C-alpha cells in the first residue's frame, strides 16, 4: 500500500509539473502573439487606442505568469522548440501576419483556460475573458488596416464568390471553402429564414472572423445594419433594397457595395451609382430566386462588352456549365449550391477555381 501511495503521489507530481510547463509555454505564446498585435497597432496603424487595448491584454496575462511556471520549463529540453510550419512562409502581408498571430493567441488562451481550471482558476477565468475580448480587438485591427483601395484591389483578384444559404454546418462549409482558396463570401439570410436577428448576428460574426483570418472579403446581403454591426467589408444590394447612394452614406467610402442586375439598364444604373461590382443573372433558373426568369447567357455577353466593373455571373452555375459561362464572357462567377450543397465544399471550390483558370 505505501508503495502504491508513493506511486500515486509521484504521478500526481509529474502531472502537475507537466501542467506547469504547458501553462508556461502557452502564456509565452499568448504574450508574444499579443506583442505582435500591439506593435502592428503602434508602428503600422498609428492607433494608440488599439495599442492600449492589446497592451492591457498582454499585461493582464503577464501578472498571472507565475515564477513557478517559468522555472518548470527549459527550452533546451523542449522537443518542440524551434519548430516551424510551411504556412509561415506563405504570409505575404501585414494582415496575414496579424490574423495568424491573433489565431495563435486565441489557441493558447483556450489551452490556458482548459488546463488552468485544474490548478489555477484565476488564470483560467482571465484567459477566457481575454479570449472573448480578443475577438473584437482582432476585428478592429484588421478593419483599421483595410482601406477602400485595399478592399477593391482584393475584389479584383477574386473570381469565385460564395453566397451562403441556410444549411446545416454553415461555418464548417465556409471554413472548408476558404481553406481551398475562396476569398469572397456573402452572408445571405433572407427575412423569411427561421432565424432571429441575434442568431444572424452570431452567424455573421463567426463567418466574418473566418474570412478575415484567411484574408478573404466578407459581405452581407441586404442588411446594412448587420454589416456595420459585425464589421463586414461591405454589402450586396438587390434591386428592391436601399439605393446604393444611401448605403454609401451609411457605410462610408471604404466599404464595398455590390448590386444585383438583371438587364443592361440595371447595370448602367449600378455603374452610375458608384457600385464596386455587380452580379449578372440569374443565368439559369435557380431555387434561390424562385419566380425570377433566367436572363440566359446573352446578358452575360452584354455585360462583358460594357461593364467596367468586376462582374459576377450568377444563377445555377456549377462545374457542368461553367465552361459555357466562361465562353459567354464571364471570368468571375458567384455560386450558392455548387459549394453549400457539395459533399466536399473544399473540393468543389478547387474544381471551380480550376475551371475559372482554364482557357475559356
Amino acid at each position: 500500500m505505501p508503495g502504491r501511495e508513493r506511486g500515486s503521489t509521484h504521478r500526481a507530481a509529474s502531472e502537475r509539473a507537466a501542467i506547469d510547463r504547458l501553462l508556461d509555454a502557452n502564456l509565452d505564446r499568448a504574450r508574444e502573439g499579443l506583442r505582435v498585435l500591439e506593435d502592428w497597432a503602434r508602428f503600422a496603424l498609428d492607433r494608440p487606442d488599439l495599442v492600449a487595448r492589446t497592451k492591457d491584454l498582454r499585461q493582464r496575462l503577464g501578472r498571472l505568469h507565475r515564477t513557478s511556471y517559468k522555472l518548470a520549463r527549459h527550452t533546451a529540453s523542449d522537443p518542440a522548440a524551434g519548430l516551424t510550419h510551411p504556412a509561415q512562409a506563405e504570409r505575404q502581408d501585414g494582415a496575414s501576419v496579424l490574423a495568424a498571430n491573433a489565431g495563435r493567441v486565441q489557441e493558447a488562451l483556450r489551452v490556458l483556460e482548459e488546463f488552468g481550471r485544474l490548478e489555477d482558476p484565476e488564470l483560467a477565468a482571465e484567459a477566457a475573458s481575454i479570449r472573448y475580448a480578443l475577438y473584437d480587438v482582432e476585428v478592429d485591427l484588421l478593419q483599421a488596416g483595410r482601406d477602400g483601395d485595399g478592399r477593391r484591389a482584393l475584389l479584383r483578384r477574386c473570381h469565385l464568390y460564395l453566397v451562403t444559404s441556410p444549411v446545416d454546418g454553415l461555418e464548417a462549409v465556409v471554413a472548408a471553402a476558404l481553406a481551398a482558396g475562396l476569398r469572397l463570401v456573402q452572408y445571405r439570410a433572407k427575412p423569411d429564414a427561421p432565424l432571429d436577428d441575434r442568431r444572424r448576428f452570431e452567424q455573421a460574426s463567426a463567418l466574418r472572423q473566418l474570412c478575415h483570418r484567411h484574408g478573404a472579403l466578407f459581405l452581407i446581403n441586404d442588411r446594412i445594419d448587420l454589416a456595420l454591426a459585425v464589421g463586414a467589408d461591405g454589402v450586396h444590394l438587390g434591386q428592391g433594397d436601399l439605393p446604393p447612394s444611401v448605403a454609401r452614406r451609411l457605410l462610408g467610402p471604404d466599404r464595398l457595395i455590390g448590386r444585383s442586375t438583371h438587364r443592361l439598364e440595371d447595370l448602367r444604373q449600378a455603374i452610375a451609382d458608384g457600385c464596386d461590382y455587380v452580379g449578372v443573372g440569374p443565368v439559369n433558373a435557380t431555387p434561390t430566386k424562385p419566380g425570377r426568369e433566367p436572363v440566359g447567357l446573352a446578358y452575360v455577353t452584354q455585360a462583358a462588352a460594357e461593364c467596367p466593373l468586376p462582374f459576377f455571373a450568377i444563377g445555377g452555375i456549377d462545374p457542368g456549365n461553367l465552361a459555357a459561362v466562361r465562353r459567354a464572357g464571364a471570368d468571375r462567377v458567384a455560386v450558392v449550391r455548387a459549394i453549400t450543397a457539395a459533399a466536399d465544399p473544399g473540393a468543389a471550390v478547387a474544381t471551380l477555381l480550376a475551371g475559372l483558370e482554364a482557357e475559356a
Side-chain angles (χ1 to χ4, degrees), residues 3-351:
R4 290 182 182 177
E5 291 175 359
R6 284 196 298 272
S8 177
T9 301
H10 175 74
R11 284 193 298 274
S14 177
E15 180 176 294
R16 190 159 50 249
I19 291 173
D20 284 352
R21 291 194 297 272
L22 181 151
L23 293 177
D24 179 66
N26 282 280
L27 278 161
D28 280 342
R29 188 174 296 123
R31 293 174 67 188
E32 289 164 1
L34 284 168
R35 188 55 186 254
V36 172
L37 305 187
E38 180 184 331
D39 281 355
W40 182 254
R42 178 184 176 188
F43 296 107
L45 302 178
D46 192 22
R47 287 285 300 271
D49 58 323
L50 293 175
V51 172
R53 288 167 64 189
T54 50
K55 186 174 185 178
D56 174 66
L57 299 182
R58 181 171 57 83
Q59 290 181 337
R60 283 164 60 184
L61 279 179
R63 286 193 291 269
L64 297 175
H65 199 159
R66 297 177 182 175
T67 300
S68 60
Y69 298 155
K70 297 176 183 178
L71 294 176
R73 189 167 67 100
H74 302 282
T75 304
S77 61
D78 185 346
L83 289 180
T84 61
H85 190 278
Q88 292 174 295
E90 297 173 4
R91 298 169 193 162
Q92 300 295 318
D93 53 29
S96 60
V97 172
L98 187 69
N101 276 274
R104 177 190 186 203
V105 174
Q106 286 157 358
E107 291 167 0
L109 289 169
R110 185 68 187 191
V111 175
L112 293 172
E113 183 181 348
E114 293 294 335
F115 283 94
R117 292 194 188 103
L118 300 178
E119 68 171 71
D120 194 340
E122 184 183 5
L123 175 60
E126 189 73 311
S129 175
I130 292 172
R131 185 164 60 85
Y132 285 112
L134 185 60
Y135 292 143
D136 291 332
V137 172
E138 179 189 4
V139 171
D140 291 343
L141 285 165
L142 287 166
Q143 293 289 15
R146 283 192 174 204
D147 60 12
D149 289 343
R151 286 189 174 106
R152 291 177 181 99
L154 178 53
L155 175 68
R156 288 191 293 271
R157 296 197 297 272
C158 293
H159 291 264
L160 180 61
Y161 188 177
L162 169 61
V163 181
T164 69
S165 60
V167 297
D168 292 337
L170 178 59
E171 289 178 35
V173 169
V174 174
L178 292 167
L182 181 76
R183 290 298 176 263
L184 180 56
V185 175
Q186 177 193 138
Y187 175 65
R188 183 174 182 268
K190 285 301 187 180
D192 57 352
L195 296 172
D196 58 25
D197 273 0
R198 181 183 182 89
R199 181 59 182 143
R200 287 187 176 91
F201 174 77
E202 291 170 350
Q203 277 195 338
S205 296
L207 294 180
R208 182 262 299 145
Q209 289 171 18
L210 275 174
C211 286
H212 285 190
R213 285 177 191 166
H214 283 83
L217 293 167
F218 178 68
L219 284 77
I220 300 284
N221 183 271
D222 296 351
R223 294 284 299 273
I224 295 171
D225 59 336
L226 187 56
L228 289 169
V230 304
D233 293 297
V235 297
H236 183 87
L237 303 173
Q239 287 295 311
D241 295 328
L242 283 176
S245 59
V246 176
R248 180 63 70 200
R249 188 165 69 247
L250 295 171
L251 291 169
D254 289 334
R255 285 186 168 89
L256 303 174
I257 295 176
R259 185 77 153 169
S260 295
T261 69
H262 315 301
R263 54 183 183 168
L264 274 179
E265 290 81 355
D266 297 340
L267 175 60
R268 290 165 181 160
Q269 187 61 53
I271 295 168
D273 287 338
C275 293
D276 297 293
Y277 75 90
V278 295
V280 169
V283 175
N284 306 293
T286 169
T288 61
K289 292 289 185 181
R292 183 174 296 282
E293 287 294 319
V295 299
L297 294 174
Y299 177 39
V300 174
T301 301
Q302 290 175 326
E306 187 163 326
C307 187
L309 305 175
F311 78 88
F312 294 83
I314 186 171
I317 297 171
D318 57 33
N321 57 31
L322 179 60
V325 176
R326 294 287 317 282
R327 287 193 296 271
D331 60 2
R332 296 178 176 88
V333 300
V335 302
V336 183
R337 292 171 301 141
I339 294 175
T340 61
D344 185 338
V349 167
T351 299

